[in-house]
């Protein structure tokens, strides 16, 4: 019997923060310790920051980090929650596809998106994910509706 290498997503501990809010509702987005460390670094340099999950335009599908006020959200965006004190948004159309998915913000080696604040640090934000369980989907019913 041959041994298989672990799937890359399995190599990361998915327990990244509290998995539910005070009311017991599962969190839609959490962050790894590496992501929280980079968020703190960016906040110390740029002040408050926020994230928008890119829809695949200029920088692919990378999570983009901006100083608060440098990216304007609107009715076409859904607020998923906060990571490291930073609001995290996704476009309404993408939320329709990702609504059954727990998003885990992580950091990997590489270049950040050209407009994202981590650019030039040789590390970038990266999304990992897992599907919510049936129980989590039921608990989330009615939250972040389209």
């Amino acid at each position: 019997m041959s041994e298989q290498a672990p799937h890359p997503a399995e190599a990361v501990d998915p327990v990244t923060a509290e998995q539910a809010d005070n009311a017991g509702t599962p969190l839609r987005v959490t962050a790894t310790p590496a992501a929280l460390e980079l968020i703190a670094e960016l906040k110390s340099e740029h002040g408050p920051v926020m994230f928008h999950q890119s829809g695949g335009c200029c920088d692919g599908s990378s999570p983009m980090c901006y100083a608060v006020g440098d990216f304007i959200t609107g009715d076409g965006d859904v607020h998923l929650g906060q990571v490291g004190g930073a609001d995290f948004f996704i476009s309404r159309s993408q939320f329709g596809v990702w609504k059954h998915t727990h998003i885990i913000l992580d950091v990997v080696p590489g270049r950040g998106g050209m407009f994202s604040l981590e650019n030039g640090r040789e590390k970038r934000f990266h999304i990992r994910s897992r599907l919510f369980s049936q129980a989590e989907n039921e608990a989330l019913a009615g939250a972040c509706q389209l």
Side-chain angles (χ1 to χ4, degrees):
M1 185 182 338
S2 66
E3 196 172 314
Q4 292 183 336
H7 185 275
E10 294 171 349
V12 175
D13 182 356
V15 179
T16 56
E18 292 181 8
Q19 297 298 301
D21 65 15
N22 292 336
T25 304
L27 298 176
R28 290 192 176 274
V29 60
T30 57
T32 64
L36 294 173
E37 184 177 305
L38 184 52
I39 291 168
E41 182 181 320
L42 294 171
K43 286 168 67 174
S44 73
E45 293 176 25
H46 300 279
V49 299
M50 54 87 65
F51 287 89
H52 192 276
Q53 177 59 41
S54 176
C57 179
C58 301
D59 287 304
S61 58
S62 299
M64 303 293 286
C65 183
Y66 302 98
V68 169
D70 284 354
F71 184 90
I72 306 300
T73 59
D75 292 340
D77 297 297
V78 175
H79 182 256
L80 294 183
Q82 285 193 338
V83 288
D87 288 317
F88 195 106
F89 295 87
I90 191 169
S91 71
R92 191 168 298 277
S93 61
Q94 276 193 294
F95 178 72
V97 176
W98 288 57
K99 65 184 174 186
H100 302 294
T101 307
H102 175 108
I103 294 174
I104 303 162
L105 184 65
D106 199 3
V107 173
V108 296
R111 290 274 168 112
M114 80 165 61
F115 302 114
S116 193
L117 291 177
E118 83 276 12
N119 189 20
R121 297 169 192 270
E122 301 308 319
K123 54 187 169 183
R124 65 182 180 86
F125 288 110
H126 177 75
I127 291 297
R128 300 189 189 279
S129 63
R130 68 169 179 82
L131 293 176
F132 285 121
S133 68
Q134 182 63 33
E136 287 172 316
N137 277 316
E138 289 170 7
L140 286 164
C144 293
Q145 288 296 308
L146 297 178

